[in-house]
Amino acid sequence: MSDPVKMALFLAQNVVDQPAAVRATLRGPTILLRVAPGEEGRVIGRQGRVISAIRTLVRTADPREKLGVDLDAPRRER
């Protein structure tokens, strides 16, 4: 699997409870992951370990591109 966006999508789908709700889009040099409400913590993981691992694996998919991976979570009103 050499497409970084597809790889990020696949990895994120495998850590959440609702894989059909996961979306991955490429915006500039960043892949944005959107998950179902309440599942952001599963993608982040304890101390950010899961999102860090996803970033590392995506970078290895295409080392020539400097891609980042971020969680595209809607802003909450306080």
Side-chain angles (χ1 to χ4, degrees):
M1 182 178 301
S2 62
D3 182 20
V5 177
K6 287 182 182 178
M7 179 180 276
L9 177 66
F10 174 78
L11 293 168
Q13 286 175 332
N14 282 287
V15 296
V16 297
D17 290 330
Q18 299 175 29
V22 177
R23 301 285 180 260
T25 56
L26 182 63
R27 288 198 192 141
T30 304
I31 298 170
L32 297 175
L33 295 173
R34 182 172 287 255
V35 296
E39 293 207 315
E40 296 89 357
R42 295 183 67 81
V43 174
I44 296 170
R46 288 189 179 180
Q47 297 181 355
R49 288 185 180 129
V50 174
I51 193 75
S52 178
I54 291 173
R55 287 177 179 135
T56 300
L57 290 170
V58 166
R59 281 190 210 113
T60 62
D62 193 356
R64 292 169 290 159
E65 287 189 57
K66 302 239 180 201
L67 290 176
V69 178
D70 251 339
L71 198 58
D72 186 19
R75 301 263 183 218
R76 294 184 186 171
E77 294 295 321
R78 291 184 185 199

